[in-house]
Structures are given as C-alpha cells and as structure tokens.
Amino acid sequence: MKILLCGGAGFIGSHFATIRLLQHNDSIVVLDKLTYAGRRQNLAHLEGHPSFAFVHGAIESPKDVQRALSAPARAGEPPFDAIVNFAAETHVDRSIAAAHDFIQTNLLGTNVLLEAAIQHRLRYVQVSTDEVYGSIEEGTFTELSPLAPSSPYAASKAGADLLVLSCCHTHGLHGSICRGSNNYGPRQYPEKLIPLIILNALHNDPLPVYGDGRQVRNWIHVTDFASAVGIVLEEGAPGEVYNAGGPDECANIDVVERIVALTSASPDSIEHIADRPGHDRRYSLSSEKVRALGWRPRVRFNQGLADTVAWYRDNVSWWEPIRSGEYRAYYERQYDKPLRSGPAHSTQ
Ligand code: NAD
Ligand code: TYD
C-alpha cells in the first residue's frame, strides 16, 4: 500500500510508520506540522529508506494536503491507496487551558483530509480515542456506546469521528475509525502521565498525582495499538468503528508507585495535587470487534512499563532537548513549579 500518514512524526504515528514500512513493505509519505509534539528525530531511523518521504505541512491546509498527495514526484510511482490520520492536538490538560488548536486540527484538519480522500477515492482511517465515550465506572464500552466526551480534546475527537461517519454515509467514503485506549511506550512526549512520572523520578522531581489518584486507565502498548490501526486499515469495513483497548487496567497511583519502584525514586516524592477539572474516573474498552479481525495485544503492562522506563533511562538524547525547551515552560505553567534541570540520577 502507499499511505499518506498524517501526524507520523508524533508518538504513535512514528511507531505505525516503522511497522508499516519495515514489516509490511508499505510506501509511506508522512505529512506533519511538527508542532511541539512532532519531531523529525522520531523518524530518523526511516530517513533514506526508498519508500519513505516526509512533507512538512498542516492537515488543515488543503494546499499542504494536495502537495503531500503529489509527493514524492518520482516517475512511475503508484498513486496513493490510503490516508491514515494520526495528526491531532492530543493533551487533555492543554485543551482545558485553550481549545482553539484542538478545533482547528482535530475537526477542521480532519475535514480537509476527508475532502481529499473523497476527491481521490482513497481508503481512509481515522485514529481516535476511548475518551469520546466519557467515563465508565463499571463494565466496558463497546462501539455502540453513546458518545459523551468530557474534555474539549475528547469533544474534538468525537466531532471528527462523526464527520468521518457522515462522509461514509453520504459520499460513499471507504472510511473506518480505530479508537484506542491510553498508549504508553518509547517516544511519548513527557506531558503525558507515564513519561512525565518517569522523567521526574529520574530527576528527583516531585511526582504530581491529580486528586486521589484512583482514576483508572486501560493501558495499551504503542506497538499493539499501531498494529490494531494497521489491521483496521487492511480489514476494516466502511463506516465501521473498532475499539482497541490494552490487556490491563491500572489506577494512576499504582502506575506511579510501580515507576517509583522501577527507578528507585523516593516514595515521598509522590505529591497529590488539585484534580483535573472534569476528570474522567475510568476508561475501559471492549475490543471484541477488532479481535475478530485477527488482532491481539501482545505486551502486558508490567513488562511494557519496565521496558519503557529502561527506554527513557537509555535515551537521554531524545528527551533532554524537550525537557529544556517548550516543555519546561508548559510544565511550569501547568504545575506552578520549576522543573529541576540537574542531571538525571543514575538508577540500575
Ligand atoms: P502526539 O501528540 O505525540 O503527536 C501528534 C502528531 O500530530 C505530532 O507529530 C504533531 O506534530 C502532528 N500534528 C499536530 N497537529 C497537526 C496538524 N495540524 N497538521 C499536521 N500534523 C499535526 O500524539 P499521539 O499520542 O501519537 O496520538 C496520535 C493519535 O492517536 C491522535 O489522533 C490521538 O488522538 C490518538 N490517540 C492517542 C492516544 C494516546 O494515549 N496517546 C490514545 C488513543 C488515541
Ligand atoms: P494523561 O497521560 O494526560 O492521559 P489521559 O488524560 O488522556 O487519560 O493522563 C493519564 C491519567 O493520569 C489521567 O487520569 C490524568 C492523570 N495524570 C496525573 O495524575 N498527573 C499528571 O501530571 C498527568 C499528566 C496525568
């Protein structure tokens, strides 16, 4: 397949690019705006591959999308088969502080991609989230559960999902949606819980836990979610939604305590701080439908978390520029305290 991969320089998109290019021999053109969360370095291991190209541009710009769809202009190259859209503003706390960019990218950007997919008759996969369903105290969400998003981020993703489904219904688009639970693993921007806690633990910084920390997330390793999106691309039916949840649920405080143990940080560094406004208590997905297409999650949370801690410990050159750049200003605004800048303490 030849795929226009939007948002491929981010966390999950970069894993999807790796799996599709190296394991499935797909041809990949990444279109990415390189926001604070997107980095060419996330794709460095693919640069120079004959079936890989990168285009710097925004999904909300029809000109950028058309430019990406005509790249790379090599004679005899096959046309595109599919658009897979990972591009999004993704952090709930940032959407609570200011929602504009979320509407622009997640809604208007998705609309531009849908118009291109319809015009060029391309397969379309929208990458979405369990957060569109809101919170569930008991049981699991299926694809038929009602949409009840809590945050501006979740609302923008739910709106995008509805746009996709409307284009399938009205324009005959061959579009599918894959909704994932909370991802973790290498290359996740440290604003998210797991990398934030790992890096703070390695620096002896306080470990911020919102409220009582008893909120539960359904953790999925990033390679498992990337492979679920690939199966939906290959096998998904038009107008259908597929949930892909991880094999394990864990309360936030338990996640933090496990990271404390893995890094030998002090348990006294755990700090309960003011809760997130509108904080969803629990997410849980039923993945029966995508399992019926042959998908299985392979990584259990215990092992995946230990490997993730090891990856951040071993890849200082990946996170050091982030921790001293935009992220530092964001952190100090969000948590109202400075980030320690000293060297990470060494743990075995
Ligand atoms: P990320 O924040 O790490 O990366 C997002 C990428 O999109 C970045 O490379 C960024 O530069 C790019 N981007 C942002 N705005 C853009 C625009 N206007 N035009 C082009 N590129 C743009 O995100 P992620 O965690 O990898 O998430 C990828 C997708 O998966 C998102 O759609 C997200 O909603 C969804 N998702 C994420 C999770 C999770 O736990 N991280 C869970 C379920 C679903
Ligand atoms: P996050 O990684 O932001 O993902 P999401 O909001 O999409 O689930 O947060 C995961 C959970 O961790 C969520 O319940 C909020 C909580 N959390 C904290 O307790 N402290 C933090 O500093 C952050 C960033 C998140």
Side-chain angles (χ1 to χ4, degrees):
M1 256 189 258
K2 182 170 175 183
I3 302 170
L4 178 63
L5 169 52
C6 304
F11 165 48
I12 312 173
S14 66
H15 286 273
F16 181 84
T18 308
I19 290 171
R20 297 308 305 191
L21 192 68
L22 303 184
Q23 293 175 23
H24 295 262
N25 298 319
D26 288 334
S27 182
I28 301 281
V29 175
V30 167
L31 171 65
D32 200 293
K33 193 176 180 177
L34 298 178
T35 67
Y36 75 89
R39 308 175 76 201
R40 286 296 288 270
Q41 195 191 342
N42 288 342
L43 298 164
H45 55 293
L46 307 179
E47 301 276 1
H49 191 292
S51 300
F52 176 81
F54 181 86
V55 176
H56 184 202
I59 59 168
E60 67 272 22
S61 157
K63 231 170 72 196
D64 288 352
V65 171
Q66 292 305 335
R67 185 162 52 87
L69 282 171
S70 52
R74 249 186 278 146
E77 216 182 48
F80 281 87
D81 300 293
I83 298 178
V84 180
N85 182 26
F86 285 88
E89 289 292 335
T90 61
H91 194 43
V92 171
D93 292 323
R94 292 190 196 244
S95 80
I96 293 169
H100 177 274
D101 291 352
F102 290 74
I103 307 305
Q104 177 169 291
T105 293
N106 302 0
L107 273 171
L108 299 179
T110 297
N111 185 51
V112 170
L113 295 178
L114 288 167
E115 286 177 354
I118 291 164
Q119 183 195 342
H120 297 278
R121 297 180 183 282
L122 302 178
R123 172 94 179 90
Y124 185 88
V125 175
Q126 176 74 2
V127 179
S128 184
T129 164
D130 56 3
E131 303 197 23
V132 298
Y133 300 117
S135 189
I136 187 165
E137 298 275 331
E138 280 174 19
T140 56
F141 287 122
T142 73
E143 292 80 0
L144 298 175
S145 300
L147 301 186
S150 303
S151 69
Y153 162 67
S156 68
K157 295 296 290 185
D161 285 6
L162 293 176
L163 269 177
V164 174
L165 296 176
S166 75
C167 289
C168 298
H169 184 78
T170 301
H171 295 292
L173 173 76
H174 188 155
S176 311
I177 297 171
C178 187
R179 293 183 179 142
S181 57
N182 281 69
N183 279 235
Y184 70 99
R187 301 197 289 270
Q188 186 168 32
Y189 195 82
E191 65 194 351
K192 305 292 197 309
L193 179 73
I194 287 181
L196 184 153
I197 297 294
I198 294 172
L199 292 186
N200 280 19
L202 293 176
H203 287 82
N204 293 318
D205 264 325
L207 310 178
V209 173
Y210 294 158
D212 65 5
R214 301 304 324 165
Q215 304 83 3
V216 171
R217 296 295 182 263
N218 181 190
W219 293 101
I220 186 168
H221 193 266
V222 61
T223 53
D224 280 332
F225 184 52
S227 73
V229 175
I231 285 180
V232 170
L233 171 65
E234 287 169 2
E235 308 285 342
E240 292 294 328
V241 177
Y242 300 86
N243 290 341
D248 298 294
E249 295 187 8
C250 195
N252 294 339
I253 188 68
D254 298 332
V255 174
V256 173
E257 283 172 359
R258 287 188 205 196
I259 295 171
V260 164
L262 287 162
T263 55
S264 311
S266 165
D268 296 340
S269 49
I270 297 176
E271 236 179 43
H272 289 267
I273 62 171
D275 209 349
R276 172 187 280 173
H279 198 168
D280 283 337
R281 201 69 186 160
R282 178 170 170 265
Y283 299 136
S284 180
L285 284 181
S286 157
S287 312
E288 291 313 308
K289 198 168 161 184
V290 73
R291 279 172 177 266
L293 299 182
W295 177 78
R296 298 280 177 281
R298 298 192 187 284
V299 185
R300 297 303 301 261
F301 189 54
N302 260 343
Q303 186 60 51
L305 187 62
D307 292 348
T308 302
V309 168
W311 187 88
Y312 280 91
R313 190 187 282 135
D314 293 345
N315 286 276
V316 177
S317 64
W318 184 89
W319 52 256
E320 202 154 53
I322 296 177
R323 231 177 116 89
S324 56
E326 185 273 352
Y327 176 66
R328 174 172 297 273
Y330 162 76
Y331 186 93
E332 298 183 359
R333 257 192 338 269
Q334 176 68 18
Y335 297 91
D336 205 18
K337 54 165 60 101
L339 262 188
R340 217 157 278 176
S341 51
H345 76 245
S346 81
T347 52
Q348 74 291 3

